[in-house]
Amino acid sequence: QVQLVESGGGLVQAGGSLRLSCVASGRVFSIDVMGWYRQVPGKQRELVANILLNGRTNYADSVKGRFTISRDNAKNTVSLQMNSLKPEDTNVYYCTAEGMATRSQPFGSWGQGTQVTVSS
């Protein structure tokens, strides 16, 4: 079992910044991709950003230029720096990770979610 624990959510005014962090613990052999999703009401969770083991990143168009994702492979952590926040960024943000728990056992895990609220 690989557990993900998020931190860093909260309440901020529009234009402000927040930094989300997530740490993976448990049986981890390698983590291929780590990322952040958020829940769209009435729809599936949407990708906010993810980062591959080689450092390649992907961002939703709505957050490009405002959010930056990074990871520390040695510590199995991923962070999301969110700047110039907008009220429409208000959501629950979920950390996710996919990789190998052992050489032969893959895993895919979600965190419990952390609330981000941006006031206008």
Side-chain angles (χ1 to χ4, degrees), residues 2 5 11 31 33 56 70 72 86 106 116:
V2 176
V5 178
L11 173 65
I31 303 178
V33 59
R56 182 173 178 175
S70 60
D72 184 330
K86 304 176 181 180
V116 171

Side-chain angles (χ1 to χ4, degrees), residues 26-77:
R27 198 169 191 180
V28 178
F29 178 73
S30 66
I31 303 178
D32 298 323
V33 59
M34 302 188 81
W36 296 90
Y37 282 71
R38 60 191 180 189
Q39 186 72 56
V40 179
K43 298 183 180 180
Q44 291 184 334
R45 293 175 183 175
E46 67 173 9
L47 175 69
V48 176
N50 65 15
I51 182 167
L52 306 183
L53 184 61
N54 62 9
R56 182 173 178 175
T57 59
N58 298 287
Y59 293 94
D61 288 342
S62 59
V63 306
K64 284 180 181 177
R66 300 188 298 122
F67 292 10
T68 302
I69 191 169
S70 60
R71 64 185 286 177
D72 184 330
N73 294 329
K75 297 181 179 179
N76 290 335
T77 60

Side-chain angles (χ1 to χ4, degrees), residues 65-116:
R66 300 188 298 122
F67 292 10
T68 302
I69 191 169
S70 60
R71 64 185 286 177
D72 184 330
N73 294 329
K75 297 181 179 179
N76 290 335
T77 60
V78 62
S79 297
L80 185 68
Q81 178 65 42
M82 305 185 294
N83 298 329
S84 302
L85 283 161
K86 304 176 181 180
E88 51 264 43
D89 294 317
T90 295
N91 216 310
V92 178
Y93 286 71
Y94 296 89
C95 176
T96 182
E98 296 178 17
M100 301 298 291
T102 67
R103 289 184 181 274
S104 60
Q105 182 180 9
F107 79 90
S109 297
W110 290 88
Q112 79 283 358
T114 185
Q115 177 70 45
V116 171

